[in-house]
Amino acid sequence: IIIPNNFTKIGELTFLNCKSLIKVIIPSSITDIYKSAFEGCSSLSIITIPNSIVQIGNYAFEGCSSLKEITIPDSVIQIGISTFRKCVSLKNIII
């Protein structure tokens, strides 16, 4: 999925349990990823988080069991609780 440039936030529960979602490209217009935005996206393996993101909400990626690596840019000032809970394949978090 490619999120259009006219969005500024990924809302709470936006992609909850989208089990077929594999890849997400987030544009630099997005500043916040809210609570449980990608929770339960068990096939999600590729996500690009731009330098515009300042907040990643609670449980945002919980249960993304195919996610192997994620890079958190310097712009992020807050990461919520249990953001990567149950991400059993996640081996690298680069901050």
Side-chain angles (χ1 to χ4, degrees), residues 67-82:
L67 193 61
K68 294 178 183 172
E69 181 175 296
I70 193 163
T71 299
I72 308 292
D74 291 342
S75 58
V76 174
I77 57 174
Q78 182 178 1
I79 299 173
I81 62 168
S82 299

Side-chain angles (χ1 to χ4, degrees), residues 38-72:
F38 296 96
E39 182 178 342
C41 295
S42 56
S43 296
L44 182 63
S45 60
I46 300 168
I47 187 157
T48 302
I49 298 179
N51 288 328
S52 58
I53 299 292
V54 294
Q55 173 183 281
I56 300 174
N58 299 340
Y59 316 105
F61 297 99
E62 180 178 8
C64 293
S65 54
S66 295
L67 193 61
K68 294 178 183 172
E69 181 175 296
I70 193 163
T71 299
I72 308 292

Side-chain angles (χ1 to χ4, degrees), residues 2-23:
I2 298 173
I3 298 170
N5 286 329
N6 58 337
F7 287 90
T8 58
K9 298 171 184 355
I10 298 175
E12 188 173 318
L13 310 171
T14 299
F15 298 102
L16 178 68
N17 292 323
C18 289
K19 297 190 186 307
S20 297
L21 185 62
I22 296 170
K23 179 180 181 180

